[in-house]
Coordinates of all heavy atoms in Angstrom, one line a residue:
M102 N -8.2 -8.6 13.6 CA -8.1 -8.2 12.2 C -6.6 -8.3 11.8 O -5.8 -7.5 12.3 CB -8.6 -6.7 12.1 CG -10.1 -6.7 12.4 SD -10.8 -5.0 12.5 CE -10.4 -4.3 10.9
L103 N -6.4 -9.2 10.9 CA -5.0 -9.5 10.5 C -4.2 -8.3 10.1 O -3.1 -8.0 10.6 CB -5.1 -10.5 9.4 CG -3.8 -10.9 8.7 CD1 -2.9 -11.6 9.6 CD2 -4.1 -11.7 7.4
F104 N -4.7 -7.5 9.2 CA -3.9 -6.4 8.6 C -3.8 -5.2 9.6 O -2.8 -4.6 9.7 CB -4.4 -5.9 7.3 CG -4.0 -6.9 6.2 CD1 -4.8 -8.0 5.9 CD2 -2.9 -6.7 5.5 CE1 -4.5 -8.9 4.9 CE2 -2.5 -7.6 4.5 CZ -3.3 -8.7 4.2
R105 N -4.8 -5.0 10.4 CA -4.7 -4.0 11.5 C -3.6 -4.3 12.5 O -3.0 -3.4 13.0 CB -6.0 -3.8 12.2 CG -7.0 -3.2 11.3 CD -7.6 -2.0 12.0 NE -8.6 -1.4 11.2 CZ -8.6 -0.2 10.9 NH1 -7.7 0.6 11.3 NH2 -9.5 0.3 10.1
S106 N -3.3 -5.6 12.7 CA -2.3 -6.0 13.7 C -0.9 -5.7 13.2 O 0.0 -5.7 13.9 CB -2.4 -7.5 14.0 OG -2.1 -8.3 12.9
L107 N -0.8 -5.4 11.9 CA 0.5 -5.0 11.3 C 1.0 -3.6 11.8 O 2.1 -3.3 11.6 CB 0.5 -5.1 9.8 CG 0.3 -6.5 9.2 CD1 0.1 -6.4 7.7 CD2 1.3 -7.5 9.6
G108 N 0.1 -2.8 12.2 CA 0.4 -1.5 12.7 C -0.8 -0.6 12.7 O -1.7 -0.8 12.0
H109 N -0.7 0.4 13.6 CA -1.7 1.4 13.7 C -1.9 2.1 12.4 O -0.9 2.5 11.8 CB -1.4 2.3 14.9 CG -2.4 3.3 15.2 ND1 -3.7 3.0 15.5 CD2 -2.3 4.7 15.2 CE1 -4.4 4.2 15.7 NE2 -3.5 5.2 15.5
A110 N -3.1 2.3 12.0 CA -3.3 3.0 10.7 C -2.9 4.5 10.7 O -2.6 5.1 9.7 CB -4.8 2.9 10.3
G111 N -2.8 5.1 11.9 CA -2.3 6.4 12.1 C -0.9 6.4 12.7 O -0.4 5.3 13.1
G112 N -0.2 7.5 12.7 CA 1.1 7.5 13.3 C 1.0 7.3 14.8 O 0.0 7.3 15.4
E113 N 2.1 7.0 15.4 CA 2.2 6.7 16.9 C 1.6 7.9 17.6 O 2.1 9.0 17.5 CB 3.7 6.5 17.3 CG 3.8 6.2 18.7 CD 3.2 4.8 19.1 OE1 3.2 3.9 18.3 OE2 2.7 4.7 20.2
G114 N 0.5 7.7 18.2 CA -0.2 8.8 19.0 C -0.9 9.8 18.1 O -1.5 10.7 18.6
G115 N -0.9 9.6 16.8 CA -1.5 10.5 15.9 C -2.9 10.1 15.5 O -3.3 9.0 15.9
P116 N -3.6 10.9 14.8 CA -5.0 10.5 14.4 C -4.9 9.3 13.4 O -3.9 9.1 12.7 CB -5.5 11.7 13.7 CG -4.3 12.5 13.3 CD -3.2 12.2 14.3
T117 N -6.0 8.6 13.3 CA -6.0 7.5 12.4 C -6.1 8.0 11.0 O -6.8 9.0 10.7 CB -7.3 6.6 12.7 OG1 -7.2 6.1 14.0 CG2 -7.5 5.5 11.7
N118 N -5.4 7.4 10.1 CA -5.4 7.7 8.6 C -6.6 7.0 8.1 O -6.6 5.8 7.9 CB -4.1 7.3 8.0 CG -4.1 7.6 6.5 OD1 -5.1 7.5 5.8 ND2 -3.0 7.9 6.0
L119 N -7.7 7.7 7.8 CA -9.0 7.1 7.4 C -8.8 6.3 6.1 O -9.4 5.3 5.8 CB -10.1 8.1 7.3 CG -10.5 8.7 8.7 CD1 -11.6 9.8 8.5 CD2 -10.9 7.7 9.7
W120 N -8.0 6.9 5.1 CA -7.8 6.2 3.9 C -7.1 4.9 4.1 O -7.6 3.9 3.6 CB -7.0 7.1 3.0 CG -6.9 6.7 1.5 CD1 -7.5 5.7 0.9 CD2 -6.0 7.3 0.6 NE1 -7.1 5.7 -0.4 CE2 -6.2 6.6 -0.6 CE3 -5.1 8.4 0.6 CZ2 -5.5 7.0 -1.8 CZ3 -4.4 8.7 -0.5 CH2 -4.6 8.0 -1.7
M121 N -6.1 4.9 4.8 CA -5.3 3.6 5.1 C -6.2 2.7 5.9 O -6.2 1.5 5.7 CB -4.0 3.9 5.8 CG -3.1 2.7 5.9 SD -2.6 2.1 4.2 CE -1.5 3.4 3.7
A122 N -7.0 3.2 6.8 CA -7.8 2.3 7.6 C -8.8 1.6 6.7 O -9.1 0.4 6.9 CB -8.6 3.1 8.7
G123 N -9.4 2.3 5.8 CA -10.3 1.6 4.8 C -9.6 0.6 4.0 O -10.2 -0.5 3.7
I124 N -8.4 0.8 3.5 CA -7.6 -0.1 2.8 C -7.4 -1.4 3.6 O -7.5 -2.5 3.2 CB -6.3 0.5 2.3 CG1 -6.6 1.6 1.2 CG2 -5.4 -0.6 1.7 CD1 -5.4 2.4 0.8
L125 N -7.0 -1.1 4.9 CA -6.7 -2.3 5.8 C -7.9 -3.1 6.1 O -7.9 -4.3 6.1 CB -6.1 -1.8 7.1 CG -4.7 -1.2 7.0 CD1 -4.2 -0.5 8.3 CD2 -3.7 -2.2 6.5
D126 N -9.1 -2.4 6.2 CA -10.3 -3.1 6.4 C -10.7 -4.0 5.2 O -11.1 -5.1 5.4 CB -11.5 -2.1 6.7 CG -11.4 -1.5 8.0 OD1 -10.7 -2.0 8.9 OD2 -12.1 -0.5 8.2
D127 N -10.5 -3.4 4.0 CA -10.7 -4.2 2.8 C -9.8 -5.5 2.7 O -10.2 -6.6 2.4 CB -10.5 -3.4 1.5 CG -11.6 -2.4 1.3 OD1 -12.7 -2.5 1.9 OD2 -11.4 -1.5 0.4
A128 N -8.5 -5.2 3.0 CA -7.6 -6.3 3.0 C -7.9 -7.4 4.0 O -7.9 -8.6 3.7 CB -6.2 -5.8 3.3
D129 N -8.3 -7.0 5.2 CA -8.7 -8.0 6.2 C -10.0 -8.7 5.8 O -10.0 -10.0 5.9 CB -9.0 -7.2 7.5 CG -9.1 -8.2 8.7 OD1 -8.2 -8.9 9.0 OD2 -10.2 -8.2 9.3
R130 N -10.9 -8.1 5.2 CA -12.1 -8.7 4.7 C -11.8 -9.7 3.6 O -12.3 -10.9 3.6 CB -13.1 -7.7 4.2 CG -14.5 -8.3 3.9 CD -15.5 -7.2 3.5 NE -15.0 -6.2 2.6 CZ -14.8 -4.9 3.1 NH1 -15.0 -4.6 4.3 NH2 -14.4 -4.0 2.2
D131 N -10.9 -9.3 2.7 CA -10.5 -10.2 1.6 C -9.8 -11.5 2.2 O -10.0 -12.6 1.7 CB -9.6 -9.5 0.6 CG -10.3 -8.5 -0.2 OD1 -11.6 -8.6 -0.3 OD2 -9.7 -7.6 -0.8
A132 N -8.9 -11.2 3.2 CA -8.1 -12.4 3.7 C -9.0 -13.4 4.5 O -8.7 -14.5 4.5 CB -7.1 -11.8 4.7
T133 N -10.1 -12.9 5.0 CA -11.0 -13.8 5.8 C -12.2 -14.3 5.0 O -12.8 -15.3 5.4 CB -11.4 -13.1 7.1 OG1 -12.2 -11.9 6.7 CG2 -10.3 -12.8 8.0
S134 N -12.5 -13.7 3.9 CA -13.7 -14.1 3.2 C -13.5 -15.0 1.9 O -14.4 -15.6 1.4 CB -14.6 -12.9 2.8 OG -13.9 -12.1 1.9
H135 N -12.2 -15.0 1.5 CA -11.9 -15.8 0.3 C -11.1 -17.0 0.7 O -10.2 -16.9 1.6 CB -11.1 -15.0 -0.7 CG -11.8 -13.9 -1.3 ND1 -13.0 -14.0 -2.0 CD2 -11.6 -12.5 -1.2 CE1 -13.4 -12.8 -2.4 NE2 -12.6 -11.9 -1.9
Q136 N -11.3 -18.2 0.1 CA -10.5 -19.3 0.4 C -9.1 -19.1 -0.2 O -8.9 -18.3 -1.1 CB -11.1 -20.6 -0.3 CG -12.4 -21.0 0.3 CD -13.0 -22.2 -0.4 OE1 -12.4 -22.7 -1.4 NE2 -14.1 -22.8 0.1
A137 N -8.2 -19.8 0.4 CA -6.8 -19.7 -0.1 C -6.8 -20.1 -1.6 O -7.4 -21.0 -2.0 CB -5.9 -20.6 0.7
G138 N -6.0 -19.3 -2.3 CA -5.9 -19.6 -3.8 C -5.7 -18.3 -4.5 O -5.5 -17.2 -3.9
M139 N -5.9 -18.3 -5.8 CA -5.6 -17.2 -6.7 C -6.5 -16.0 -6.4 O -6.0 -14.9 -6.4 CB -5.7 -17.6 -8.2 CG -5.3 -16.5 -9.1 SD -5.7 -16.7 -10.8 CE -7.4 -16.5 -10.8
I140 N -7.8 -16.2 -6.2 CA -8.7 -15.1 -5.9 C -8.2 -14.3 -4.7 O -8.1 -13.0 -4.7 CB -10.1 -15.5 -5.8 CG1 -10.6 -16.2 -7.1 CG2 -11.0 -14.4 -5.4 CD1 -10.6 -15.4 -8.3
R141 N -7.9 -15.0 -3.6 CA -7.5 -14.3 -2.4 C -6.1 -13.6 -2.7 O -5.9 -12.5 -2.2 CB -7.4 -15.2 -1.2 CG -7.0 -14.5 0.0 CD -7.2 -15.2 1.3 NE -6.4 -16.4 1.4 CZ -6.4 -17.3 2.3 NH1 -7.2 -17.1 3.4 NH2 -5.6 -18.3 2.3
D142 N -5.2 -14.3 -3.3 CA -3.9 -13.7 -3.6 C -4.0 -12.4 -4.4 O -3.4 -11.4 -4.1 CB -3.0 -14.7 -4.3 CG -2.6 -15.9 -3.5 OD1 -2.8 -15.9 -2.3 OD2 -2.2 -16.9 -4.1
V143 N -4.9 -12.5 -5.4 CA -5.1 -11.3 -6.3 C -5.7 -10.1 -5.5 O -5.3 -9.0 -5.5 CB -5.9 -11.6 -7.5 CG1 -6.4 -10.4 -8.2 CG2 -5.1 -12.5 -8.5
A144 N -6.7 -10.5 -4.6 CA -7.3 -9.5 -3.8 C -6.3 -8.8 -2.8 O -6.3 -7.6 -2.6 CB -8.5 -10.1 -3.0
L145 N -5.5 -9.6 -2.2 CA -4.5 -9.1 -1.3 C -3.4 -8.3 -1.9 O -3.0 -7.3 -1.4 CB -3.9 -10.3 -0.4 CG -4.9 -11.0 0.5 CD1 -4.2 -12.2 1.2 CD2 -5.5 -10.0 1.5
I146 N -3.0 -8.7 -3.1 CA -2.0 -7.9 -3.9 C -2.7 -6.5 -4.2 O -2.1 -5.5 -4.1 CB -1.6 -8.6 -5.2 CG1 -0.7 -9.8 -4.8 CG2 -0.8 -7.6 -6.1 CD1 -0.4 -10.7 -6.0
G147 N -4.0 -6.6 -4.6 CA -4.7 -5.3 -4.8 C -4.7 -4.4 -3.6 O -4.5 -3.2 -3.7
A148 N -4.9 -5.0 -2.5 CA -5.0 -4.2 -1.2 C -3.6 -3.6 -0.9 O -3.5 -2.4 -0.6 CB -5.4 -5.1 -0.1
V149 N -2.6 -4.3 -1.1 CA -1.2 -3.8 -0.9 C -0.9 -2.7 -1.9 O -0.3 -1.7 -1.5 CB -0.1 -4.9 -0.9 CG1 1.3 -4.3 -0.8 CG2 -0.4 -5.9 0.2
R150 N -1.3 -2.9 -3.1 CA -1.1 -1.9 -4.1 C -1.9 -0.6 -3.8 O -1.4 0.5 -4.0 CB -1.5 -2.4 -5.5 CG -0.4 -3.4 -6.0 CD -0.6 -3.7 -7.4 NE -0.2 -2.6 -8.2 CZ -0.7 -2.3 -9.4 NH1 -1.7 -3.0 -9.9 NH2 -0.3 -1.2 -10.1
K151 N -3.1 -0.7 -3.2 CA -3.8 0.5 -2.8 C -3.1 1.2 -1.7 O -3.0 2.5 -1.7 CB -5.2 0.1 -2.3 CG -6.2 -0.3 -3.3 CD -7.5 -0.7 -2.6 CE -8.4 -1.6 -3.4 NZ -9.6 -2.1 -2.6
A152 N -2.5 0.5 -0.8 CA -1.7 1.1 0.3 C -0.5 1.8 -0.3 O -0.1 2.9 0.1 CB -1.3 0.0 1.3
K153 N 0.2 1.2 -1.3 CA 1.3 1.8 -1.9 C 0.9 3.1 -2.6 O 1.6 4.1 -2.6 CB 2.0 0.8 -2.9 CG 2.9 -0.2 -2.3 CD 4.1 0.5 -1.7 CE 4.7 -0.3 -0.6 NZ 5.7 0.5 0.1
A154 N -0.3 3.1 -3.3 CA -0.7 4.3 -4.0 C -1.0 5.4 -3.0 O -0.6 6.5 -3.2 CB -2.0 4.0 -4.7
A155 N -1.5 5.0 -1.8 CA -1.8 6.0 -0.8 C -0.4 6.6 -0.3 O -0.3 7.8 0.0 CB -2.5 5.4 0.4
E156 N 0.6 5.7 -0.1 CA 1.9 6.1 0.3 C 2.5 7.1 -0.7 O 3.1 8.1 -0.3 CB 2.8 4.9 0.5 CG 4.2 5.2 0.9 CD 5.1 4.0 1.0 OE1 4.6 2.9 0.7 OE2 6.3 4.2 1.4
I157 N 2.4 6.7 -2.0 CA 3.0 7.6 -3.0 C 2.4 9.0 -3.1 O 3.1 10.0 -3.1 CB 2.9 6.9 -4.4 CG1 3.8 5.6 -4.4 CG2 3.3 7.8 -5.6 CD1 3.5 4.6 -5.5
V158 N 1.1 9.0 -3.0 CA 0.3 10.3 -3.0 C 0.8 11.1 -1.7 O 1.0 12.3 -1.8 CB -1.2 10.1 -3.0 CG1 -1.9 11.4 -2.7 CG2 -1.6 9.5 -4.3
S159 N 0.9 10.5 -0.6 CA 1.3 11.2 0.6 C 2.7 11.7 0.5 O 3.0 12.8 0.9 CB 1.2 10.2 1.8 OG -0.1 9.9 2.1
L160 N 3.6 10.9 -0.1 CA 5.0 11.4 -0.3 C 5.0 12.5 -1.3 O 5.8 13.5 -1.1 CB 5.8 10.2 -0.8 CG 6.2 9.2 0.3 CD1 6.8 7.9 -0.3 CD2 7.2 9.8 1.3
D161 N 4.2 12.5 -2.4 CA 4.1 13.6 -3.3 C 3.8 14.9 -2.6 O 4.3 16.0 -2.8 CB 3.1 13.3 -4.4 CG 3.6 12.4 -5.4 OD1 4.9 12.1 -5.5 OD2 2.8 11.8 -6.2
T162 N 2.8 14.8 -1.7 CA 2.4 16.0 -0.9 C 3.5 16.5 0.0 O 3.8 17.7 0.1 CB 1.1 15.6 -0.1 OG1 0.1 15.2 -1.0 CG2 0.6 16.8 0.7
A163 N 4.1 15.5 0.7 CA 5.2 15.9 1.6 C 6.4 16.5 0.8 O 7.0 17.5 1.3 CB 5.7 14.7 2.4
I164 N 6.7 16.0 -0.4 CA 7.8 16.6 -1.2 C 7.4 18.0 -1.6 O 8.3 18.9 -1.6 CB 8.0 15.7 -2.5 CG1 8.6 14.4 -2.1 CG2 8.8 16.4 -3.5 CD1 8.6 13.3 -3.1
A165 N 6.2 18.3 -1.9 CA 5.8 19.6 -2.3 C 6.0 20.6 -1.2 O 6.3 21.8 -1.4 CB 4.3 19.6 -2.7
L166 N 5.9 20.2 0.1 CA 6.1 21.0 1.2 C 7.4 21.1 1.9 O 7.7 21.9 2.7 CB 5.0 20.6 2.3 CG 3.6 20.7 1.9 CD1 2.7 20.1 3.0 CD2 3.2 22.2 1.6
A167 N 8.3 20.1 1.4 CA 9.6 20.0 2.1 C 10.7 20.9 1.6 O 10.6 21.4 0.4 CB 10.1 18.5 1.9
D168 N 11.7 21.1 2.4 CA 12.9 21.9 1.9 C 13.7 20.9 1.0 O 13.4 19.7 0.9 CB 13.7 22.4 3.1 CG 14.3 21.3 3.9 OD1 14.6 20.2 3.4 OD2 14.5 21.5 5.1
A169 N 14.7 21.5 0.3 CA 15.4 20.7 -0.7 C 16.0 19.4 -0.2 O 15.9 18.4 -0.8 CB 16.5 21.6 -1.4
Q170 N 16.7 19.5 1.0 CA 17.3 18.3 1.5 C 16.3 17.2 1.9 O 16.5 16.0 1.5 CB 18.2 18.6 2.7 CG 18.9 17.4 3.3 CD 19.8 17.8 4.4 OE1 19.8 18.9 4.9 NE2 20.6 16.8 4.9
M171 N 15.2 17.6 2.5 CA 14.2 16.6 2.9 C 13.5 16.1 1.6 O 13.1 14.9 1.6 CB 13.2 17.3 3.8 CG 12.1 16.4 4.3 SD 12.7 14.9 5.2 CE 13.1 15.6 6.8
A172 N 13.3 17.0 0.7 CA 12.6 16.5 -0.6 C 13.4 15.4 -1.3 O 12.8 14.5 -1.8 CB 12.4 17.7 -1.5
D173 N 14.7 15.5 -1.3 CA 15.5 14.5 -1.9 C 15.3 13.2 -1.2 O 15.2 12.1 -1.9 CB 17.0 14.9 -1.9 CG 17.3 16.0 -2.9 OD1 16.5 16.2 -3.8 OD2 18.4 16.6 -2.7
M174 N 15.3 13.2 0.1 CA 15.1 11.9 0.9 C 13.7 11.4 0.6 O 13.5 10.2 0.4 CB 15.3 12.2 2.4 CG 15.1 10.9 3.2 SD 15.2 11.2 5.0 CE 13.5 11.8 5.2
L175 N 12.7 12.2 0.6 CA 11.3 11.8 0.3 C 11.2 11.2 -1.1 O 10.5 10.3 -1.4 CB 10.4 12.9 0.6 CG 10.2 13.4 2.0 CD1 9.4 14.7 2.1 CD2 9.6 12.3 2.9
K176 N 11.9 11.9 -2.1 CA 11.8 11.4 -3.5 C 12.4 10.0 -3.5 O 11.9 9.1 -4.3 CB 12.6 12.3 -4.4 CG 11.9 13.6 -4.6 CD 12.7 14.6 -5.5 CE 12.0 15.9 -5.7 NZ 12.8 16.9 -6.4
A177 N 13.5 9.7 -2.8 CA 14.0 8.3 -2.8 C 13.0 7.3 -2.2 O 12.9 6.2 -2.7 CB 15.3 8.3 -2.0
L178 N 12.3 7.7 -1.2 CA 11.3 6.9 -0.6 C 10.2 6.6 -1.6 O 9.6 5.5 -1.7 CB 10.7 7.5 0.7 CG 11.7 7.5 1.9 CD1 11.0 8.3 3.0 CD2 12.0 6.1 2.3
R179 N 9.8 7.7 -2.3 CA 8.7 7.5 -3.3 C 9.2 6.6 -4.4 O 8.4 5.7 -4.9 CB 8.4 8.9 -3.9 CG 7.2 8.8 -4.9 CD 6.9 10.1 -5.6 NE 8.1 10.5 -6.3 CZ 8.3 11.8 -6.8 NH1 7.4 12.7 -6.6 NH2 9.4 12.1 -7.4
E180 N 10.4 6.7 -4.8 CA 10.9 5.8 -5.9 C 10.9 4.3 -5.4 O 10.6 3.4 -6.2 CB 12.3 6.2 -6.4 CG 12.3 7.5 -7.1 CD 11.4 7.6 -8.3 OE1 11.3 6.6 -9.1 OE2 10.6 8.6 -8.4
E181 N 11.2 4.1 -4.2 CA 11.2 2.7 -3.6 C 9.7 2.2 -3.6 O 9.5 1.1 -4.0 CB 11.7 2.7 -2.2 CG 13.2 2.9 -2.1 CD 13.7 2.9 -0.6 OE1 12.9 2.5 0.3 OE2 14.8 3.4 -0.4
A182 N 8.8 3.1 -3.2 CA 7.4 2.7 -3.2 C 6.9 2.4 -4.6 O 6.1 1.4 -4.9 CB 6.5 3.8 -2.6
I183 N 7.3 3.2 -5.6 CA 6.9 2.9 -7.0 C 7.5 1.6 -7.5 O 6.8 0.8 -8.2 CB 7.3 4.1 -7.9 CG1 6.5 5.4 -7.5 CG2 7.2 3.8 -9.4 CD1 7.0 6.7 -8.2
A184 N 8.8 1.4 -7.2 CA 9.4 0.1 -7.6 C 8.7 -1.1 -7.0 O 8.4 -2.1 -7.6 CB 10.9 0.1 -7.2
T185 N 8.3 -1.0 -5.7 CA 7.5 -2.1 -5.0 C 6.2 -2.3 -5.7 O 5.8 -3.4 -6.0 CB 7.3 -1.8 -3.5 OG1 8.6 -1.6 -2.9 CG2 6.5 -2.9 -2.9
D186 N 5.5 -1.2 -6.1 CA 4.2 -1.3 -6.8 C 4.4 -2.0 -8.1 O 3.6 -2.9 -8.5 CB 3.6 0.1 -7.0 CG 2.3 -0.1 -7.7 OD1 1.4 -0.7 -7.2 OD2 2.2 0.5 -8.8
H187 N 5.5 -1.7 -8.8 CA 5.7 -2.3 -10.1 C 6.0 -3.8 -9.9 O 5.5 -4.6 -10.8 CB 6.9 -1.7 -10.8 CG 6.6 -0.3 -11.4 ND1 7.3 0.3 -12.3 CD2 5.6 0.5 -11.1 CE1 6.8 1.5 -12.6 NE2 5.8 1.7 -11.9
Q188 N 6.7 -4.2 -8.9 CA 6.9 -5.6 -8.6 C 5.6 -6.3 -8.3 O 5.4 -7.4 -8.8 CB 7.9 -5.8 -7.4 CG 9.3 -5.4 -7.7 CD 10.2 -5.5 -6.5 OE1 9.7 -5.2 -5.4 NE2 11.5 -5.8 -6.7
L189 N 4.8 -5.7 -7.5 CA 3.5 -6.3 -7.2 C 2.6 -6.4 -8.5 O 1.9 -7.4 -8.6 CB 2.8 -5.4 -6.2 CG 3.4 -5.5 -4.8 CD1 2.8 -4.4 -3.9 CD2 3.2 -6.9 -4.1
R190 N 2.7 -5.4 -9.3 CA 1.9 -5.5 -10.6 C 2.4 -6.7 -11.4 O 1.6 -7.4 -12.0 CB 2.0 -4.2 -11.4 CG 1.2 -4.2 -12.6 CD 1.2 -2.9 -13.4 NE 2.4 -2.1 -13.0 CZ 2.7 -1.0 -13.6 NH1 1.9 -0.4 -14.5 NH2 3.8 -0.3 -13.2
G191 N 3.7 -6.9 -11.4 CA 4.3 -8.0 -12.2 C 3.8 -9.4 -11.6 O 3.4 -10.3 -12.3
L192 N 3.8 -9.4 -10.2 CA 3.3 -10.6 -9.6 C 1.8 -10.9 -9.9 O 1.4 -12.0 -10.1 CB 3.5 -10.5 -8.1 CG 3.1 -11.7 -7.2 CD1 3.8 -12.9 -7.6 CD2 3.4 -11.4 -5.7
L193 N 1.0 -9.8 -9.9 CA -0.4 -9.9 -10.3 C -0.5 -10.5 -11.7 O -1.4 -11.4 -11.9 CB -1.0 -8.5 -10.2 CG -2.5 -8.4 -10.4 CD1 -3.3 -9.2 -9.3 CD2 -2.9 -6.9 -10.4
E194 N 0.3 -10.0 -12.6 CA 0.2 -10.5 -14.0 C 0.6 -12.0 -14.0 O 0.0 -12.8 -14.8 CB 1.1 -9.6 -14.9 CG 0.5 -8.3 -15.1 CD 1.5 -7.3 -15.9 OE1 2.5 -7.8 -16.3 OE2 1.1 -6.2 -16.0
E195 N 1.6 -12.4 -13.3 CA 2.0 -13.8 -13.2 C 0.9 -14.7 -12.7 O 0.7 -15.8 -13.2 CB 3.2 -14.0 -12.4 CG 4.5 -13.5 -12.9 CD 5.7 -13.6 -12.0 OE1 5.7 -14.5 -11.1 OE2 6.6 -12.8 -12.0
L196 N 0.2 -14.2 -11.7 CA -0.9 -15.0 -11.1 C -2.1 -15.1 -12.0 O -2.8 -16.1 -12.0 CB -1.3 -14.4 -9.8 CG -0.4 -14.5 -8.6 CD1 -0.9 -13.7 -7.4 CD2 -0.3 -16.0 -8.2
T197 N -2.3 -14.2 -12.8 CA -3.6 -14.1 -13.6 C -3.4 -14.5 -15.1 O -4.4 -14.6 -15.8 CB -4.3 -12.8 -13.5 OG1 -3.4 -11.8 -14.0 CG2 -4.7 -12.5 -12.1
N198 N -2.2 -14.7 -15.5 CA -1.9 -15.1 -16.9 C -1.4 -16.5 -17.0 O -1.0 -17.2 -16.2 CB -1.0 -14.1 -17.6 CG -1.6 -12.8 -17.8 OD1 -2.8 -12.6 -18.1 ND2 -0.8 -11.7 -17.6

């Protein structure tokens, strides 16, 4: 499974993140079931964007529970994830327009 090989869906030694595991399964299925081209590219961008959405939601939760110093660091990570998602959305628009 291509996308699963990129890393364990759960943390090192931790439980599997079922949400991320489902996203990775979808991405792997898209990568192997569609011929190379726009449809597969769009599907894979969608899968990465789902993973980014999961990351952003997880960071929001962590920020709510963190102390002030840790929250600032987590907010910076969230902003990076949001910026990456915006770049992917732009790429998606380029591919489909």
Side-chain angles (χ1 to χ4, degrees):
M102 294 173 58
L103 173 67
F104 284 88
R105 288 231 183 236
S106 68
L107 295 176
H109 182 59
E113 183 66 33
T117 297
N118 178 324
L119 295 177
W120 189 9
M121 191 61 73
I124 292 168
L125 293 173
D126 286 343
D127 285 347
D129 191 60
R130 186 174 44 254
D131 289 341
T133 58
S134 65
H135 296 297
Q136 292 181 354
M139 187 189 73
I140 299 297
R141 182 168 64 183
D142 293 346
V143 167
L145 293 175
I146 290 169
V149 174
R150 290 191 70 213
K151 286 180 203 174
K153 280 293 160 193
E156 179 184 3
I157 292 164
V158 169
S159 294
L160 286 166
D161 285 341
T162 302
I164 289 166
L166 298 172
D168 63 33
Q170 183 178 3
M171 182 61 77
D173 287 341
M174 184 184 77
L175 293 169
K176 287 176 184 176
L178 290 173
R179 183 184 62 195
E180 292 306 314
E181 288 177 20
I183 291 169
T185 299
D186 179 61
H187 287 199
Q188 289 175 328
L189 290 167
R190 184 176 21 178
L192 182 57
L193 185 64
E194 289 172 4
E195 287 177 29
L196 285 171
T197 58
N198 292 322

